[in-house]
C-alpha cells in the first residue's frame, strides 16, 4: 500500500487546497445522486454540476501540487491524502441528505463560490485568475439552478416546505466555517492571491436572505458552532467518503488509468 | 391512475428548439418533461446544448403545438412538379442574395 502523502504548510498551497478540496468533495457528494434524482432531467443537471466542480477541483489541485513542489499531481492529492490532510470546510462533506438538503447546500455553496470566483479573477496568481475566469460562469448557473429549487420547494407544498426548513436548520451551523478567518486567509489577502473568505460574508448573507425570503423560509438563529474542516479536523463522515473515493488507488497503488 | 394524471399535469412535455452559434434558424432537437418554462430552459441547456455559448433556446409546451393531419397529406402536400407554371424558376437571382 502506498503511504499517504503530506502537503506543505505554505499559506498559498493551503489556500488553494481549501478551495480545491471544497470543489472536489462537493463534486463527490453530488455525484452520489447519479441515477437517484427525482426526475431524469434533474439527474442530468446534478451530474452536470458535479462535473463542473470536478473540473474546477482538477485545475486547483494541479496548480497547488505544482506550487507545493514535491512532485505530486492532482491524482495523488485526491487519492493519497488522508482525512487530516484534506482542507475543505465540513459543510461540503456532509452526506447528501434528501433533495431539499442537497439543493439548499448547493445554493449556499454556489453563492459563496460565485463571490469567491468573481474576486479571484483579479488574483495576483495568473493561473488562479484563469481558473476563476472559467469557473465564474459555471458557478453563476449553479447558483441560479439551486436558488430556483430552494424557492420551488420552500414555497411548494407543506411537505416540501417542512423539508426545506429542516435542511436549513441542519446546515445553518456549518455555514460559519465559510467565513472564519485565520492566518492563511490573511496571508492570501495580503499577497493579493485572493480575498480572505470573511470578506465575502455580507454579500453572501444578502444573497441568501433574498432567496430564503422568496422561498418563505425563516433564517435560524446564529449558531456558535465552529467546524474546523479547513484545518483538517473533519466530521465522522469524511473518513467513510474518502474510503469509498480512494479505494482503488489504495488497493492498486501507482496504477495508471 | 390518479398519480399518473398528476404526473402529467405537474411535469408536462416541452418541445425544444435550439439555434447553435453559427446556425441560421432554430431547429427542433427533442423534448423533455419540466414543471415550468424556466425549468424547461435550464434542462434543455443541460441536455441539448452542453452550454455552448451563443446558443439560443426556445421551449414550448407540446400542447401548444398544432400539427398537420397526416390523413390530409394528399390535399396539403400534393407535389407540384407537373405544374411548372407555379414555380418561380424563370428568374435569375442576383448573386448577393444568399440563402434562398
Amino acid at each position: 500500500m502506498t503511504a499517504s502523502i503530506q502537503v506543505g504548510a505554505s499559506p498559498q498551497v493551503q489556500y488553494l487546497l481549501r478551495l480545491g478540496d471544497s470543489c472536489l468533495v462537493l463534486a463527490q457528494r453530488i455525484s452520489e445522486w447519479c441515477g437517484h434524482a427525482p426526475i431524469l432531467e434533474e439527474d442530468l443537471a446534478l451530474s452536470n454540476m458535479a462535473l463542473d466542480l470536478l473540473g474546477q477541483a482538477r485545475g486547483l489541485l494541479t496548480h497547488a501540487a505544482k506550487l507545493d513542489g514535491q512532485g505530486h499531481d492532482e491524482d495523488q492529492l485526491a487519492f493519497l491524502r488522508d482525512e487530516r490532510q484534506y482542507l475543505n470546510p465540513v459543510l461540503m462533506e456532509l452526506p447528501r441528505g434528501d433533495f431539499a438538503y442537497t439543493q439548499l447546500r448547493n445554493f449556499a455553496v454556489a453563492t459563496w463560490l460565485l463571490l469567491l470566483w468573481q474576486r479571484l479573477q483579479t488574483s495576483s496568481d495568473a493561473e488562479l485568475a484563469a481558473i476563476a475566469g472559467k469557473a465564474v460562469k459555471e458557478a453563476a448557473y449553479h447558483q441560479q439552478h439551486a436558488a430556483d429549487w430552494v424557492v420551488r420547494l420552500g414555497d411548494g407544498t407543506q411537505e416540501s416546505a417542512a423539508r426545506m426548513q429542516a435542511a436549513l436548520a441542519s446546515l445553518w451551523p456549518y455555514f460559519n466555517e465559510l467565513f472564519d478567518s485565520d492566518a492563511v486567509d490573511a496571508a492570501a489577502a495580503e499577497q493579493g492571491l485572493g480575498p480572505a473568505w470573511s470578506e465575502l460574508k455580507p454579500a453572501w448573507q444578502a444573497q441568501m436572505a433574498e432567496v430564503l425570503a422568496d422561498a418563505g423560509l425563516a433564517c435560524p438563529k446564529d449558531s456558535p458552532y465552529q467546524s474546523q474542516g479547513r484545518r483538517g479536523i473533519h466530521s465522522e463522515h469524511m473518513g467513510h467518503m474518502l474510503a469509498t473515493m480512494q479505494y482503488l488507488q489504495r488497493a492498486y497503488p501507482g496504477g495508471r488509468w | 391512475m390518479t398519480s399518473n394524471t398528476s404526473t402529467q399535469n405537474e411535469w408536462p412535455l416541452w418541445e425544444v428548439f435550439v439555434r447553435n452559434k453559427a446556425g441560421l434558424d432554430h431547429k427542433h432537437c427533442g423534448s423533455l418533461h419540466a414543471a415550468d418554462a424556466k425549468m424547461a430552459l435550464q434542462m434543455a441547456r443541460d441536455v441539448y446544448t452542453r452550454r455552448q455559448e451563443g446558443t439560443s433556446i426556445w421551449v414550448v409546451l407540446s400542447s401548444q403545438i398544432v400539427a398537420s393531419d397526416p390523413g390530409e397529406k394528399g390535399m396539403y402536400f400534393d407535389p407540384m412538379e407537373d405544374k411548372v407554371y407555379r414555380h418561380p424558376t424563370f428568374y435569375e437571382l442576383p448573386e448577393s442574395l444568399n440563402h434562398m
Side-chain angles (χ1 to χ4, degrees):
Chain A
M1 186 161 141
T2 310
S4 297
I5 59 169
Q6 306 246 325
V7 284
S10 92
Q12 203 179 7
V13 171
Q14 300 265 312
Y15 187 82
L16 283 167
L17 284 178
R18 286 175 175 186
L19 182 53
D21 289 349
S22 295
C23 297
L24 175 62
V25 169
L26 189 61
Q28 178 78 11
R29 283 300 187 207
I30 300 179
S31 305
E32 292 172 6
W33 277 100
C34 191
H36 298 276
I39 49 158
L40 176 65
E41 286 83 354
E42 187 57 28
D43 209 84
L44 289 166
L46 284 172
S47 302
N48 213 327
M49 284 182 257
L51 284 169
D52 284 342
L53 287 166
L54 191 66
Q56 295 163 11
R58 291 189 60 185
L60 291 163
L61 293 190
T62 299
H63 190 44
K66 204 164 59 192
L67 291 175
D68 195 32
Q70 297 187 59
H72 297 135
D73 65 12
E74 51 174 338
D75 282 344
Q76 289 160 331
L77 285 188
F79 295 124
L80 294 178
R81 271 183 304 154
D82 64 26
E83 176 181 339
R84 292 301 291 267
Q85 291 281 306
Y86 260 88
L87 304 180
N88 56 284
V90 169
L91 175 64
M92 321 303 172
E93 78 212 31
L94 299 170
R96 68 178 161 98
D98 64 9
F99 189 63
Y101 185 93
T102 279
Q103 292 297 350
L104 185 65
R105 171 167 60 182
N106 283 2
F107 172 59
V109 174
T111 302
W112 166 74
L113 276 175
L114 181 58
L115 291 167
L116 196 50
W117 292 128
Q118 283 167 346
R119 285 156 181 79
L120 286 173
Q121 287 180 99
T122 54
S123 169
S124 60
D125 180 331
E127 174 97 22
L128 181 56
I131 295 169
K134 186 167 154 250
V136 73
K137 290 179 267 181
E138 297 170 344
Y141 180 75
H142 298 183
Q143 187 197 30
Q144 190 197 59
H145 184 88
D148 287 352
W149 273 114
V150 170
V151 173
R152 221 175 259 134
L153 295 173
D155 192 25
T157 63
Q158 226 172 10
E159 169 76 12
S160 73
R163 284 178 180 240
M164 200 38 102
Q165 194 69 61
L168 189 59
S170 165
L171 285 165
W172 196 256
Y174 294 99
F175 294 153
N176 287 342
E177 191 184 350
L178 296 180
F179 310 108
D180 189 17
S181 45
D182 66 4
V184 170
D185 268 344
E190 198 180 318
Q191 293 164 14
L193 180 64
W197 291 8
S198 54
E199 289 168 28
L200 311 172
K201 191 171 186 180
W204 181 86
Q205 279 178 324
Q207 293 183 27
M208 286 291 287
E210 195 180 321
V211 169
L212 293 179
D214 276 355
L217 297 166
C219 292
K221 278 203 201 92
D222 276 340
S223 159
Y225 178 68
Q226 192 70 60
S227 51
Q228 302 276 328
R230 302 195 308 168
R231 298 182 190 100
I233 301 165
H234 291 279
S235 69
E236 70 271 29
H237 308 291
M238 187 69 177
H240 292 281
M241 199 208 76
L242 288 180
T244 306
M245 195 177 104
Q246 299 182 335
Y247 167 75
L248 199 66
Q249 185 59 227
R250 300 280 194 178
Y252 298 94
R256 299 184 64 82
W257 57 290
Chain B
M1 199 61 208
T2 332
S3 72
N4 263 346
T5 319
S6 93
T7 307
Q8 276 167 19
N9 292 339
E10 287 170 10
W11 297 96
L13 191 65
W14 300 76
E15 300 300 326
V16 180
F17 300 81
V18 171
R19 179 167 61 76
N20 62 31
K21 216 170 188 170
L24 289 166
D25 46 11
H26 288 75
K27 288 196 167 55
H28 181 241
C29 58
S31 53
L32 48 78
H33 288 276
D36 56 42
K38 195 175 176 192
M39 190 194 283
L41 265 184
Q42 290 186 11
M43 287 168 168
R45 167 264 198 196
D46 284 336
V47 179
Y48 293 112
T49 72
R50 303 267 166 172
R51 286 165 296 154
Q52 290 170 51
E53 272 144 299
T55 298
S56 163
I57 305 174
W58 291 344
V59 291
V60 58
L61 271 172
S62 302
S63 59
Q64 294 293 314
I65 292 180
V66 181
S68 59
D69 180 357
E72 294 177 347
K73 194 175 167 221
M75 178 177 83
Y76 265 55
F77 307 113
D78 179 29
M80 298 184 189
E81 278 153 24
D82 57 337
K83 304 176 189 170
V84 284
Y85 52 90
R86 298 190 67 106
H87 295 275
T89 50
F90 309 105
Y91 300 102
E92 298 239 329
L93 284 178
E95 269 183 31
S96 58
L97 272 186
N98 292 319
H99 312 304
M100 284 290 284

